[in-house]
């Protein structure tokens, strides 16, 4: 109980933070919605006092945003040999997220709840989504400059085509529980690059 | 109260059925999940007795599947001049669904809940999703046969690319409440057909 007896801050508080984040994610992964979750229940699950949570987060919404953001794998570096390779690297990272059971369940639920919690959704978008979108946008722009992509390529639509197809192919009703093809990132990238119409 | 006094069945029972379906959809659109909904609450909302519901549906799950299926607009005929035109017709119909407020909210929530209700999800898939997927598959096959699409086109992936991109472009985090571009179906179809790489 003597605060002099333990080393100052970081390691211990990081461990508690990790436990709190994990407890939040576990509970969301079990199907609890934002309104179902309480700081009290998270504290009990994480084995910490409520004060420990409030020392770090202003409230439930802030905690949930950080928990959701922690699910995003670090963005892989996108500065390889070709735009095709980099797009495959990027989609491979998003495929891992989309197919990990707990993450998949939480992300789908969070998307469903976003309209009801506009402030949380906006903060999540800002800290977890926009940096990635910016990296993919820069990659596609680089492809236009290098001539790998056509000069009039619709960059915003291409970004949604890559993410939306991956999302769709890894979820119900398409998968229906079957494992996802490891070649999926390359299949998506090649179709987006070459298109369905014959090339003469 | 005399059953002889009213004309047999259809018109009256169809009106009650419609009220029951609408009550179910309204409640789901307000954010009630499958577990939150009860036959009792639906009956009260629809202004009918529970018996009226049980006369038509075996239980809550059957009612919800039919309610969800009723959200699917009738599939437009896909037998136009070109595969491009038909794909645009198809995506225009799905865009209407994706952008209508209540439908959008319910569909997103239902996708999130599907893994927890595998039997309901399977029935919904069978009555509402598979017939559409079959129509789009046939359309793409027709395109391969006519030479409008390349002979090695990955039909299953193309189906997901069309639907997944539309879903993604019409939802948070992409839209963030802004109205959807009316030209979106044509933009998606043209990108899927021609691809991002330059055509020589």
């Amino acid at each position: 109980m003597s605060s002099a007896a333990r080393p100052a801050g970081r390691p211990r508080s990081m461990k508690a933070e990790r436990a709190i984040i994990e407890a939040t994610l576990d509970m969301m992964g079990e199907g609890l919605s934002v309104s179902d979750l309480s700081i009290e229940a998270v504290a009990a699950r994480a084995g910490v006092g409520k004060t420990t949570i409030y020392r770090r987060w202003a409230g439930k919404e802030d905690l949930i945003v950080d928990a959701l953001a922690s699910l995003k794998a670090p963005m892989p570096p996108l500065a390889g040999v070709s735009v095709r390779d980099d797009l495959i690297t990027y989609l491979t990272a998003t495929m891992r997220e989309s197919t990990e059971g707990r993450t998949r369940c939480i992300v789908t639920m969070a998307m469903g709840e976003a309209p009801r919690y506009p402030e949380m959704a906006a903060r999540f978008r800002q800290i977890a989504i926009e940096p990635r979108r910016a990296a993919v946008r820069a990659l596609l722009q680089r492809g236009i400059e290098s001539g790998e992509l056509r000069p009039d390529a619709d960059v915003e639509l291409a970004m949604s085509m890559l993410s939306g197809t991956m999302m769709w192919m890894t979820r119900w009703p398409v998968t229906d529980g079957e494992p996802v093809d490891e070649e999926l990132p390359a299949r998506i990238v090649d179709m987006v690059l070459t298109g369905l119409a014959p090339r003469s």
Side-chain angles (χ1 to χ4, degrees), chain A:
Chain A
M1 304 298 273
S2 148
S3 68
R6 59 175 167 91
R10 284 276 121 180
R12 179 164 175 166
S13 83
M14 278 181 71
K15 201 177 152 199
E17 277 186 20
R18 195 63 231 162
I20 294 161
I21 294 277
E22 281 300 315
T24 308
L25 293 173
D26 279 344
M27 293 168 84
M28 296 185 80
E30 289 158 12
L32 293 186
S33 66
V34 175
S35 58
D36 296 331
L37 273 180
S38 70
I39 290 286
E40 211 141 16
V42 172
R45 175 84 161 240
V48 303
K50 286 204 289 179
T51 341
T52 309
I53 299 184
Y54 283 117
R55 209 176 289 141
R56 171 70 181 78
W57 290 280
K60 178 169 87 168
E61 302 207 348
D62 283 354
L63 168 59
I64 291 173
V65 167
D66 279 357
L68 291 173
S70 78
L71 292 175
K72 290 270 171 200
M75 182 76 172
L78 299 179
V81 177
S82 69
V83 166
R84 177 177 181 275
D85 287 346
D86 281 352
L87 287 175
I88 292 173
T89 302
Y90 165 68
L91 279 189
T92 303
T94 66
M95 182 167 76
R96 299 247 162 73
E97 276 173 25
S98 293
T99 52
E100 198 272 310
R102 189 181 68 169
T103 302
R104 169 211 199 85
C105 172
I106 295 172
V107 169
T108 311
M109 196 177 69
M111 284 190 68
E113 291 206 292
R116 268 176 285 161
Y117 298 93
E119 282 177 34
M120 280 180 65
R123 252 201 80 206
F124 179 72
R125 193 178 144 123
Q126 186 196 340
I127 67 173
I129 296 179
E130 285 305 337
R132 286 185 168 216
R133 286 176 59 88
V136 179
R137 194 179 285 119
L139 167 58
L140 294 171
Q141 295 287 4
R142 202 186 86 206
I144 291 174
E145 282 151 30
S146 71
E148 289 170 272
L149 305 184
R150 54 172 67 204
D152 62 346
D154 184 339
V155 169
E156 296 301 313
L157 180 59
M159 290 163 61
S160 287
M161 192 164 280
L162 293 161
S163 303
T165 309
M166 178 56 80
M167 182 71 104
W168 199 246
M169 284 293 284
T170 52
R171 271 181 172 65
W172 185 87
V174 175
T175 57
D176 205 20
E178 283 160 46
V180 172
D181 175 15
E182 283 294 319
E183 292 302 312
L184 186 57
R187 284 168 64 201
I188 293 175
V189 170
D190 286 332
M191 188 178 285
V192 171
L193 288 177
T194 60
L196 286 178
R199 293 190 161 233
S200 42

